[in-house]
PDB file of all heavy atoms in Angstrom:
ATOM      1  N   SER A   1     -44.450 -55.774  49.269  1.00 87.00           N
ATOM      2  CA  SER A   1     -44.026 -55.462  47.901  1.00 87.00           C
ATOM      3  C   SER A   1     -45.140 -54.844  47.058  1.00 87.00           C
ATOM      4  O   SER A   1     -44.919 -54.481  45.908  1.00 87.00           O
ATOM      5  CB  SER A   1     -43.515 -56.735  47.207  1.00 87.00           C
ATOM      6  OG  SER A   1     -44.527 -57.727  47.188  1.00 87.00           O
ATOM      7  N   VAL A   2     -46.347 -54.733  47.617  1.00 89.00           N
ATOM      8  CA  VAL A   2     -47.442 -54.117  46.866  1.00 89.00           C
ATOM      9  C   VAL A   2     -47.371 -52.601  47.007  1.00 89.00           C
ATOM     10  O   VAL A   2     -46.843 -52.075  47.988  1.00 89.00           O
ATOM     11  CB  VAL A   2     -48.817 -54.625  47.358  1.00 89.00           C
ATOM     12  CG1 VAL A   2     -48.944 -56.117  47.095  1.00 89.00           C
ATOM     13  CG2 VAL A   2     -49.000 -54.320  48.834  1.00 89.00           C
ATOM     14  N   ALA A   3     -47.900 -51.909  46.026  1.00 86.00           N
ATOM     15  CA  ALA A   3     -47.900 -50.445  46.072  1.00 86.00           C
ATOM     16  C   ALA A   3     -48.761 -49.968  47.237  1.00 86.00           C
ATOM     17  O   ALA A   3     -49.836 -50.516  47.487  1.00 86.00           O
ATOM     18  CB  ALA A   3     -48.429 -49.877  44.761  1.00 86.00           C
ATOM     19  N   PRO A   4     -48.295 -48.971  47.977  1.00 91.00           N
ATOM     20  CA  PRO A   4     -49.095 -48.470  49.111  1.00 91.00           C
ATOM     21  C   PRO A   4     -50.384 -47.815  48.625  1.00 91.00           C
ATOM     22  O   PRO A   4     -50.420 -47.210  47.549  1.00 91.00           O
ATOM     23  CB  PRO A   4     -48.166 -47.442  49.767  1.00 91.00           C
ATOM     24  CG  PRO A   4     -47.190 -47.057  48.706  1.00 91.00           C
ATOM     25  CD  PRO A   4     -47.019 -48.260  47.833  1.00 91.00           C
ATOM     26  N   ALA A   5     -51.422 -47.941  49.432  1.00 93.00           N
ATOM     27  CA  ALA A   5     -52.735 -47.380  49.071  1.00 93.00           C
ATOM     28  C   ALA A   5     -52.762 -45.903  49.453  1.00 93.00           C
ATOM     29  O   ALA A   5     -53.423 -45.494  50.415  1.00 93.00           O
ATOM     30  CB  ALA A   5     -53.840 -48.150  49.778  1.00 93.00           C
ATOM     31  N   ILE A   6     -52.028 -45.113  48.703  1.00 94.00           N
ATOM     32  CA  ILE A   6     -51.901 -43.677  48.988  1.00 94.00           C
ATOM     33  C   ILE A   6     -52.397 -42.891  47.781  1.00 94.00           C
ATOM     34  O   ILE A   6     -52.008 -43.167  46.644  1.00 94.00           O
ATOM     35  CB  ILE A   6     -50.437 -43.319  49.301  1.00 94.00           C
ATOM     36  CG1 ILE A   6     -50.026 -43.939  50.645  1.00 94.00           C
ATOM     37  CG2 ILE A   6     -50.220 -41.808  49.322  1.00 94.00           C
ATOM     38  CD1 ILE A   6     -48.576 -43.774  50.989  1.00 94.00           C
ATOM     39  N   HIS A   7     -53.262 -41.929  48.041  1.00 93.00           N
ATOM     40  CA  HIS A   7     -53.770 -41.080  46.964  1.00 93.00           C
ATOM     41  C   HIS A   7     -52.848 -39.869  46.793  1.00 93.00           C
ATOM     42  O   HIS A   7     -52.509 -39.194  47.760  1.00 93.00           O
ATOM     43  CB  HIS A   7     -55.181 -40.603  47.263  1.00 93.00           C
ATOM     44  CG  HIS A   7     -55.703 -39.607  46.274  1.00 93.00           C
ATOM     45  ND1 HIS A   7     -56.077 -39.955  44.990  1.00 93.00           N
ATOM     46  CD2 HIS A   7     -55.883 -38.265  46.376  1.00 93.00           C
ATOM     47  CE1 HIS A   7     -56.468 -38.872  44.346  1.00 93.00           C
ATOM     48  NE2 HIS A   7     -56.365 -37.828  45.156  1.00 93.00           N
ATOM     49  N   VAL A   8     -52.445 -39.632  45.579  1.00 94.00           N
ATOM     50  CA  VAL A   8     -51.626 -38.463  45.249  1.00 94.00           C
ATOM     51  C   VAL A   8     -52.414 -37.598  44.274  1.00 94.00           C
ATOM     52  O   VAL A   8     -52.857 -38.083  43.233  1.00 94.00           O
ATOM     53  CB  VAL A   8     -50.277 -38.877  44.625  1.00 94.00           C
ATOM     54  CG1 VAL A   8     -49.475 -37.647  44.223  1.00 94.00           C
ATOM     55  CG2 VAL A   8     -49.482 -39.732  45.601  1.00 94.00           C
ATOM     56  N   SER A   9     -52.595 -36.330  44.617  1.00 96.00           N
ATOM     57  CA  SER A   9     -53.360 -35.435  43.750  1.00 96.00           C
ATOM     58  C   SER A   9     -52.429 -34.741  42.755  1.00 96.00           C
ATOM     59  O   SER A   9     -51.210 -34.682  42.972  1.00 96.00           O
ATOM     60  CB  SER A   9     -54.094 -34.385  44.580  1.00 96.00           C
ATOM     61  OG  SER A   9     -53.201 -33.334  44.928  1.00 96.00           O
ATOM     62  N   PRO A  10     -52.985 -34.212  41.671  1.00 96.00           N
ATOM     63  CA  PRO A  10     -52.134 -33.509  40.696  1.00 96.00           C
ATOM     64  C   PRO A  10     -51.371 -32.335  41.295  1.00 96.00           C
ATOM     65  O   PRO A  10     -50.301 -31.982  40.796  1.00 96.00           O
ATOM     66  CB  PRO A  10     -53.138 -33.032  39.638  1.00 96.00           C
ATOM     67  CG  PRO A  10     -54.276 -33.981  39.741  1.00 96.00           C
ATOM     68  CD  PRO A  10     -54.370 -34.330  41.197  1.00 96.00           C
ATOM     69  N   GLU A  11     -51.896 -31.729  42.358  1.00 97.00           N
ATOM     70  CA  GLU A  11     -51.225 -30.574  42.948  1.00 97.00           C
ATOM     71  C   GLU A  11     -50.224 -30.941  44.040  1.00 97.00           C
ATOM     72  O   GLU A  11     -49.520 -30.072  44.555  1.00 97.00           O
ATOM     73  CB  GLU A  11     -52.267 -29.589  43.499  1.00 97.00           C
ATOM     74  CG  GLU A  11     -53.187 -29.006  42.437  1.00 97.00           C
ATOM     75  CD  GLU A  11     -52.440 -28.385  41.270  1.00 97.00           C
ATOM     76  OE1 GLU A  11     -51.454 -27.674  41.511  1.00 97.00           O
ATOM     77  OE2 GLU A  11     -52.842 -28.625  40.117  1.00 97.00           O
ATOM     78  N   ASP A  12     -50.153 -32.222  44.402  1.00 97.00           N
ATOM     79  CA  ASP A  12     -49.139 -32.637  45.366  1.00 97.00           C
ATOM     80  C   ASP A  12     -47.747 -32.471  44.756  1.00 97.00           C
ATOM     81  O   ASP A  12     -47.566 -32.545  43.537  1.00 97.00           O
ATOM     82  CB  ASP A  12     -49.355 -34.104  45.773  1.00 97.00           C
ATOM     83  CG  ASP A  12     -50.490 -34.271  46.763  1.00 97.00           C
ATOM     84  OD1 ASP A  12     -50.866 -33.275  47.401  1.00 97.00           O
ATOM     85  OD2 ASP A  12     -51.009 -35.394  46.889  1.00 97.00           O
ATOM     86  N   ILE A  13     -46.760 -32.286  45.626  1.00 98.00           N
ATOM     87  CA  ILE A  13     -45.391 -32.028  45.159  1.00 98.00           C
ATOM     88  C   ILE A  13     -44.724 -33.328  44.727  1.00 98.00           C
ATOM     89  O   ILE A  13     -44.825 -34.351  45.420  1.00 98.00           O
ATOM     90  CB  ILE A  13     -44.562 -31.353  46.269  1.00 98.00           C
ATOM     91  CG1 ILE A  13     -45.252 -30.083  46.759  1.00 98.00           C
ATOM     92  CG2 ILE A  13     -43.152 -31.039  45.785  1.00 98.00           C
ATOM     93  CD1 ILE A  13     -44.625 -29.499  48.022  1.00 98.00           C
ATOM     94  N   ALA A  14     -44.024 -33.287  43.600  1.00 97.00           N
ATOM     95  CA  ALA A  14     -43.241 -34.429  43.117  1.00 97.00           C
ATOM     96  C   ALA A  14     -41.773 -34.279  43.501  1.00 97.00           C
ATOM     97  O   ALA A  14     -41.132 -35.233  43.931  1.00 97.00           O
ATOM     98  CB  ALA A  14     -43.386 -34.576  41.608  1.00 97.00           C
ATOM     99  N   TYR A  15     -41.237 -33.081  43.311  1.00 97.00           N
ATOM    100  CA  TYR A  15     -39.840 -32.861  43.699  1.00 97.00           C
ATOM    101  C   TYR A  15     -39.608 -31.396  44.005  1.00 97.00           C
ATOM    102  O   TYR A  15     -40.390 -30.524  43.603  1.00 97.00           O
ATOM    103  CB  TYR A  15     -38.862 -33.342  42.622  1.00 97.00           C
ATOM    104  CG  TYR A  15     -38.890 -32.582  41.304  1.00 97.00           C
ATOM    105  CD1 TYR A  15     -38.404 -31.277  41.193  1.00 97.00           C
ATOM    106  CD2 TYR A  15     -39.364 -33.179  40.139  1.00 97.00           C
ATOM    107  CE1 TYR A  15     -38.410 -30.593  39.990  1.00 97.00           C
ATOM    108  CE2 TYR A  15     -39.375 -32.508  38.929  1.00 97.00           C
ATOM    109  CZ  TYR A  15     -38.893 -31.223  38.857  1.00 97.00           C
ATOM    110  OH  TYR A  15     -38.899 -30.540  37.654  1.00 97.00           O
ATOM    111  N   VAL A  16     -38.522 -31.136  44.718  1.00 97.00           N
ATOM    112  CA  VAL A  16     -37.993 -29.781  44.896  1.00 97.00           C
ATOM    113  C   VAL A  16     -36.581 -29.806  44.329  1.00 97.00           C
ATOM    114  O   VAL A  16     -35.756 -30.634  44.724  1.00 97.00           O
ATOM    115  CB  VAL A  16     -37.982 -29.352  46.368  1.00 97.00           C
ATOM    116  CG1 VAL A  16     -37.210 -28.045  46.546  1.00 97.00           C
ATOM    117  CG2 VAL A  16     -39.409 -29.186  46.882  1.00 97.00           C
ATOM    118  N   ILE A  17     -36.305 -28.931  43.394  1.00 96.00           N
ATOM    119  CA  ILE A  17     -34.993 -28.867  42.771  1.00 96.00           C
ATOM    120  C   ILE A  17     -34.409 -27.479  43.034  1.00 96.00           C
ATOM    121  O   ILE A  17     -35.119 -26.470  42.900  1.00 96.00           O
ATOM    122  CB  ILE A  17     -35.082 -29.175  41.255  1.00 96.00           C
ATOM    123  CG1 ILE A  17     -33.706 -29.371  40.647  1.00 96.00           C
ATOM    124  CG2 ILE A  17     -35.856 -28.110  40.504  1.00 96.00           C
ATOM    125  CD1 ILE A  17     -33.771 -29.964  39.245  1.00 96.00           C
ATOM    126  N   TYR A  18     -33.167 -27.433  43.453  1.00 94.00           N
ATOM    127  CA  TYR A  18     -32.549 -26.164  43.843  1.00 94.00           C
ATOM    128  C   TYR A  18     -31.784 -25.539  42.678  1.00 94.00           C
ATOM    129  O   TYR A  18     -31.097 -26.228  41.924  1.00 94.00           O
ATOM    130  CB  TYR A  18     -31.613 -26.354  45.042  1.00 94.00           C
ATOM    131  CG  TYR A  18     -32.382 -26.372  46.334  1.00 94.00           C
ATOM    132  CD1 TYR A  18     -32.992 -27.539  46.772  1.00 94.00           C
ATOM    133  CD2 TYR A  18     -32.561 -25.208  47.081  1.00 94.00           C
ATOM    134  CE1 TYR A  18     -33.732 -27.550  47.949  1.00 94.00           C
ATOM    135  CE2 TYR A  18     -33.297 -25.210  48.253  1.00 94.00           C
ATOM    136  CZ  TYR A  18     -33.883 -26.379  48.681  1.00 94.00           C
ATOM    137  OH  TYR A  18     -34.627 -26.376  49.829  1.00 94.00           O
ATOM    138  N   THR A  19     -31.946 -24.238  42.566  1.00 89.00           N
ATOM    139  CA  THR A  19     -31.222 -23.483  41.556  1.00 89.00           C
ATOM    140  C   THR A  19     -30.568 -22.280  42.213  1.00 89.00           C
ATOM    141  O   THR A  19     -30.920 -21.894  43.332  1.00 89.00           O
ATOM    142  CB  THR A  19     -32.168 -23.042  40.420  1.00 89.00           C
ATOM    143  OG1 THR A  19     -31.408 -22.478  39.359  1.00 89.00           O
ATOM    144  CG2 THR A  19     -33.189 -22.032  40.903  1.00 89.00           C
ATOM    145  N   SER A  20     -29.626 -21.705  41.516  1.00 81.00           N
ATOM    146  CA  SER A  20     -28.863 -20.585  42.057  1.00 81.00           C
ATOM    147  C   SER A  20     -29.781 -19.399  42.344  1.00 81.00           C
ATOM    148  O   SER A  20     -30.745 -19.149  41.623  1.00 81.00           O
ATOM    149  CB  SER A  20     -27.785 -20.193  41.041  1.00 81.00           C
ATOM    150  OG  SER A  20     -26.917 -19.224  41.545  1.00 81.00           O
ATOM    151  N   GLY A  21     -29.459 -18.651  43.419  1.00 76.00           N
ATOM    152  CA  GLY A  21     -30.266 -17.490  43.791  1.00 76.00           C
ATOM    153  C   GLY A  21     -29.488 -16.203  43.676  1.00 76.00           C
ATOM    154  O   GLY A  21     -28.317 -16.143  44.063  1.00 76.00           O
ATOM    155  N   SER A  22     -30.110 -15.158  43.161  1.00 69.00           N
ATOM    156  CA  SER A  22     -29.409 -13.886  42.930  1.00 69.00           C
ATOM    157  C   SER A  22     -28.993 -13.207  44.233  1.00 69.00           C
ATOM    158  O   SER A  22     -28.088 -12.382  44.252  1.00 69.00           O
ATOM    159  CB  SER A  22     -30.287 -12.942  42.111  1.00 69.00           C
ATOM    160  OG  SER A  22     -31.510 -12.697  42.777  1.00 69.00           O
ATOM    161  N   THR A  23     -29.661 -13.556  45.351  1.00 69.00           N
ATOM    162  CA  THR A  23     -29.304 -12.945  46.638  1.00 69.00           C
ATOM    163  C   THR A  23     -28.218 -13.735  47.357  1.00 69.00           C
ATOM    164  O   THR A  23     -27.811 -13.367  48.461  1.00 69.00           O
ATOM    165  CB  THR A  23     -30.533 -12.872  47.551  1.00 69.00           C
ATOM    166  OG1 THR A  23     -30.998 -14.208  47.807  1.00 69.00           O
ATOM    167  CG2 THR A  23     -31.644 -12.075  46.911  1.00 69.00           C
ATOM    168  N   GLY A  24     -27.757 -14.818  46.761  1.00 71.00           N
ATOM    169  CA  GLY A  24     -26.740 -15.651  47.391  1.00 71.00           C
ATOM    170  C   GLY A  24     -27.314 -16.874  48.067  1.00 71.00           C
ATOM    171  O   GLY A  24     -26.573 -17.746  48.513  1.00 71.00           O
ATOM    172  N   ILE A  25     -28.651 -16.964  48.161  1.00 82.00           N
ATOM    173  CA  ILE A  25     -29.300 -18.114  48.806  1.00 82.00           C
ATOM    174  C   ILE A  25     -29.974 -18.955  47.720  1.00 82.00           C
ATOM    175  O   ILE A  25     -30.795 -18.443  46.959  1.00 82.00           O
ATOM    176  CB  ILE A  25     -30.347 -17.656  49.831  1.00 82.00           C
ATOM    177  CG1 ILE A  25     -29.688 -16.794  50.905  1.00 82.00           C
ATOM    178  CG2 ILE A  25     -31.042 -18.856  50.460  1.00 82.00           C
ATOM    179  CD1 ILE A  25     -30.666 -16.180  51.876  1.00 82.00           C
ATOM    180  N   PRO A  26     -29.644 -20.246  47.605  1.00 88.00           N
ATOM    181  CA  PRO A  26     -30.290 -21.097  46.587  1.00 88.00           C
ATOM    182  C   PRO A  26     -31.805 -21.125  46.776  1.00 88.00           C
ATOM    183  O   PRO A  26     -32.319 -20.973  47.886  1.00 88.00           O
ATOM    184  CB  PRO A  26     -29.673 -22.472  46.845  1.00 88.00           C
ATOM    185  CG  PRO A  26     -28.413 -22.205  47.588  1.00 88.00           C
ATOM    186  CD  PRO A  26     -28.659 -20.979  48.409  1.00 88.00           C
ATOM    187  N   LYS A  27     -32.515 -21.314  45.674  1.00 93.00           N
ATOM    188  CA  LYS A  27     -33.980 -21.350  45.697  1.00 93.00           C
ATOM    189  C   LYS A  27     -34.452 -22.766  45.377  1.00 93.00           C
ATOM    190  O   LYS A  27     -33.993 -23.370  44.398  1.00 93.00           O
ATOM    191  CB  LYS A  27     -34.557 -20.384  44.659  1.00 93.00           C
ATOM    192  CG  LYS A  27     -34.192 -18.933  44.878  1.00 93.00           C
ATOM    193  CD  LYS A  27     -34.766 -18.036  43.789  1.00 93.00           C
ATOM    194  CE  LYS A  27     -34.171 -18.335  42.428  1.00 93.00           C
ATOM    195  NZ  LYS A  27     -34.552 -17.354  41.403  1.00 93.00           N
ATOM    196  N   GLY A  28     -35.383 -23.265  46.175  1.00 96.00           N
ATOM    197  CA  GLY A  28     -35.961 -24.580  45.920  1.00 96.00           C
ATOM    198  C   GLY A  28     -37.233 -24.446  45.103  1.00 96.00           C
ATOM    199  O   GLY A  28     -38.226 -23.877  45.561  1.00 96.00           O
ATOM    200  N   ILE A  29     -37.227 -24.953  43.883  1.00 97.00           N
ATOM    201  CA  ILE A  29     -38.392 -24.884  42.998  1.00 97.00           C
ATOM    202  C   ILE A  29     -39.316 -26.058  43.308  1.00 97.00           C
ATOM    203  O   ILE A  29     -38.896 -27.214  43.279  1.00 97.00           O
ATOM    204  CB  ILE A  29     -37.959 -24.918  41.528  1.00 97.00           C
ATOM    205  CG1 ILE A  29     -37.077 -23.708  41.206  1.00 97.00           C
ATOM    206  CG2 ILE A  29     -39.172 -24.959  40.597  1.00 97.00           C
ATOM    207  CD1 ILE A  29     -36.351 -23.808  39.876  1.00 97.00           C
ATOM    208  N   VAL A  30     -40.567 -25.748  43.623  1.00 98.00           N
ATOM    209  CA  VAL A  30     -41.544 -26.754  44.054  1.00 98.00           C
ATOM    210  C   VAL A  30     -42.387 -27.163  42.848  1.00 98.00           C
ATOM    211  O   VAL A  30     -43.213 -26.394  42.360  1.00 98.00           O
ATOM    212  CB  VAL A  30     -42.443 -26.185  45.171  1.00 98.00           C
ATOM    213  CG1 VAL A  30     -43.451 -27.231  45.627  1.00 98.00           C
ATOM    214  CG2 VAL A  30     -41.591 -25.711  46.352  1.00 98.00           C
ATOM    215  N   MET A  31     -42.173 -28.404  42.371  1.00 98.00           N
ATOM    216  CA  MET A  31     -42.843 -28.862  41.148  1.00 98.00           C
ATOM    217  C   MET A  31     -43.913 -29.898  41.469  1.00 98.00           C
ATOM    218  O   MET A  31     -43.622 -30.925  42.084  1.00 98.00           O
ATOM    219  CB  MET A  31     -41.809 -29.458  40.189  1.00 98.00           C
ATOM    220  CG  MET A  31     -42.363 -29.764  38.813  1.00 98.00           C
ATOM    221  SD  MET A  31     -42.983 -28.295  37.923  1.00 98.00           S
ATOM    222  CE  MET A  31     -41.433 -27.488  37.491  1.00 98.00           C
ATOM    223  N   PRO A  32     -45.166 -29.650  41.071  1.00 98.00           N
ATOM    224  CA  PRO A  32     -46.244 -30.602  41.352  1.00 98.00           C
ATOM    225  C   PRO A  32     -46.348 -31.693  40.285  1.00 98.00           C
ATOM    226  O   PRO A  32     -45.839 -31.562  39.173  1.00 98.00           O
ATOM    227  CB  PRO A  32     -47.492 -29.708  41.337  1.00 98.00           C
ATOM    228  CG  PRO A  32     -47.152 -28.655  40.314  1.00 98.00           C
ATOM    229  CD  PRO A  32     -45.669 -28.404  40.463  1.00 98.00           C
ATOM    230  N   HIS A  33     -47.043 -32.763  40.638  1.00 97.00           N
ATOM    231  CA  HIS A  33     -47.281 -33.855  39.688  1.00 97.00           C
ATOM    232  C   HIS A  33     -48.012 -33.361  38.443  1.00 97.00           C
ATOM    233  O   HIS A  33     -47.779 -33.867  37.333  1.00 97.00           O
ATOM    234  CB  HIS A  33     -48.109 -34.958  40.362  1.00 97.00           C
ATOM    235  CG  HIS A  33     -47.332 -35.799  41.323  1.00 97.00           C
ATOM    236  ND1 HIS A  33     -46.675 -36.940  40.955  1.00 97.00           N
ATOM    237  CD2 HIS A  33     -47.102 -35.650  42.655  1.00 97.00           C
ATOM    238  CE1 HIS A  33     -46.076 -37.476  42.003  1.00 97.00           C
ATOM    239  NE2 HIS A  33     -46.314 -36.706  43.049  1.00 97.00           N
ATOM    240  N   ARG A  34     -48.901 -32.393  38.621  1.00 97.00           N
ATOM    241  CA  ARG A  34     -49.686 -31.891  37.484  1.00 97.00           C
ATOM    242  C   ARG A  34     -48.793 -31.443  36.342  1.00 97.00           C
ATOM    243  O   ARG A  34     -48.974 -31.832  35.186  1.00 97.00           O
ATOM    244  CB  ARG A  34     -50.560 -30.730  37.958  1.00 97.00           C
ATOM    245  CG  ARG A  34     -51.319 -30.004  36.868  1.00 97.00           C
ATOM    246  CD  ARG A  34     -50.916 -28.536  36.747  1.00 97.00           C
ATOM    247  NE  ARG A  34     -50.795 -27.876  38.024  1.00 97.00           N
ATOM    248  CZ  ARG A  34     -49.845 -26.991  38.283  1.00 97.00           C
ATOM    249  NH1 ARG A  34     -48.926 -26.688  37.380  1.00 97.00           N
ATOM    250  NH2 ARG A  34     -49.765 -26.402  39.461  1.00 97.00           N
ATOM    251  N   ALA A  35     -47.790 -30.633  36.650  1.00 96.00           N
ATOM    252  CA  ALA A  35     -46.910 -30.100  35.619  1.00 96.00           C
ATOM    253  C   ALA A  35     -46.145 -31.216  34.914  1.00 96.00           C
ATOM    254  O   ALA A  35     -46.002 -31.221  33.676  1.00 96.00           O
ATOM    255  CB  ALA A  35     -45.935 -29.102  36.234  1.00 96.00           C
ATOM    256  N   LEU A  36     -45.658 -32.181  35.683  1.00 95.00           N
ATOM    257  CA  LEU A  36     -44.871 -33.261  35.102  1.00 95.00           C
ATOM    258  C   LEU A  36     -45.732 -34.187  34.252  1.00 95.00           C
ATOM    259  O   LEU A  36     -45.296 -34.673  33.205  1.00 95.00           O
ATOM    260  CB  LEU A  36     -44.179 -34.048  36.212  1.00 95.00           C
ATOM    261  CG  LEU A  36     -43.238 -33.223  37.094  1.00 95.00           C
ATOM    262  CD1 LEU A  36     -42.635 -34.090  38.181  1.00 95.00           C
ATOM    263  CD2 LEU A  36     -42.151 -32.571  36.251  1.00 95.00           C
ATOM    264  N   SER A  37     -46.963 -34.433  34.677  1.00 96.00           N
ATOM    265  CA  SER A  37     -47.856 -35.308  33.905  1.00 96.00           C
ATOM    266  C   SER A  37     -48.137 -34.731  32.519  1.00 96.00           C
ATOM    267  O   SER A  37     -48.092 -35.448  31.512  1.00 96.00           O
ATOM    268  CB  SER A  37     -49.166 -35.526  34.656  1.00 96.00           C
ATOM    269  OG  SER A  37     -48.944 -36.234  35.848  1.00 96.00           O
TER     270      SER A  37
END
């Protein structure tokens, strides 16, 4: 139940969120922890 001893850097990815693509293929936006912080 303890938090894992894992280091996460500001540039590591937090999520990928998909949005519509003009070519017909959805695009996955790669968002790092830095931006969210």
Side-chain angles (χ1 to χ4, degrees):
S1 58
V2 296
I6 291 174
H7 174 73
V8 177
S9 81
E11 297 307 317
D12 283 341
I13 305 170
Y15 66 71
V16 170
I17 191 168
Y18 278 83
T19 188
S20 187
S22 59
T23 62
I25 301 174
K27 299 178 295 189
I29 298 167
V30 180
M31 189 62 73
H33 285 270
R34 174 242 316 141
L36 301 179
S37 295

